[in-house]
Amino acid sequence: MAFRILVYTHTTEYRHDSIPDAVAAVRALGAAHGFEVDATEDPGAFESPLDGYAAVVFLSTSGEVLTPAGRERLTEYTRGGGGFVGVHAAACTEYDWPYYGELLGARFARHPDLQPGKAVVEDRDHPATGHLPAVWEFTDEWYDFRASPRGSVRVLAAADESSYQGGGMGEDHPLVWCHERGAGRVFYTALGHACEAYQDPAFRAHLLGAVRWAARAA
């Protein structure tokens, strides 16, 4: 099924060095799996209708990245059935806009140092996690959130805080989840800090499953 997605990487606060690798990885996935990718840093892209996109991906965005008109367009788009995928620092974005927090499901609070750890895959009945082992060993920043979104989202994977140093959420520490917002599908993964992540076949398949699910192509 052919479709088009918009990848947005605008930042006004911390900027991840991995963004070029991440965009290249998504473009490669699109080329290999039959979907088209438009990538932009321009907030003006959200001031026009988004109806031509099956999904919008906020890929390590940070800070306030949308104009008031862009916020209105994104709200209309997601409520009307558009897909949304947030990757990593997408949770550090639009803190002043309540709708965005509700859309994503949780807000970033802090993270320990980049280090190896383990994610427990709770739900493998999803295109983004079906290929993963029950315990996924990965290196990342293991984001903490201001509150657990469990109960309002479908949790797909959670952090095992005993596997790394500095976790601050305890036993209930979701990392990957999805839910529906209006008529749209929303997916978020906290993983994806390092450049190396976007070369990892398991992580690339994770992103592919997320995009295809949000775009209703899987």
Side-chain angles (χ1 to χ4, degrees), residues 52-190:
Y53 295 108
V56 169
V57 181
F58 272 37
L59 205 167
S60 283
T61 49
S62 70
E64 306 308 309
V65 298
L66 294 173
T67 65
R71 288 179 173 184
E72 291 181 11
R73 289 287 191 186
L74 185 61
T75 301
E76 293 169 358
Y77 173 75
T78 52
R79 286 179 173 168
F84 183 89
V85 176
V87 179
H88 195 54
C92 312
T93 299
E94 293 289 330
Y95 280 110
D96 294 336
W97 183 25
Y99 178 80
Y100 184 81
E102 297 166 5
L103 178 72
L104 201 67
R107 299 278 195 183
F108 169 80
R110 57 174 293 279
H111 66 75
D113 292 338
L114 180 74
Q115 61 190 296
K118 296 178 180 179
V120 177
V121 180
E122 299 185 11
D123 185 341
R124 296 177 70 196
D125 189 23
H126 189 282
T129 51
H131 66 290
L132 295 172
V135 177
W136 185 17
E137 297 187 14
F138 203 72
T139 297
D140 217 286
E141 291 181 323
W142 307 101
Y143 275 12
D144 287 345
F145 300 95
R146 294 179 179 179
S148 170
R150 192 184 299 275
S152 60
V153 301
R154 174 184 170 189
V155 176
L156 303 177
D160 174 3
E161 289 193 359
S162 70
S163 68
Y164 63 92
Q165 299 295 315
M169 292 185 68
E171 293 184 0
D172 184 23
H173 189 159
L175 282 177
V176 182
W177 59 79
C178 63
H179 66 121
E180 294 188 0
R181 184 73 184 176
R185 287 182 167 186
V186 179
F187 181 97
Y188 175 73
T189 179

Side-chain angles (χ1 to χ4, degrees), residues 25-52:
V26 176
R27 288 193 185 281
L29 290 171
H33 296 276
F35 61 89
E36 297 183 42
V37 178
D38 292 340
T40 186
E41 298 266 338
D42 181 8
F46 287 84
E47 295 180 351
S48 299
L50 299 168
D51 299 346

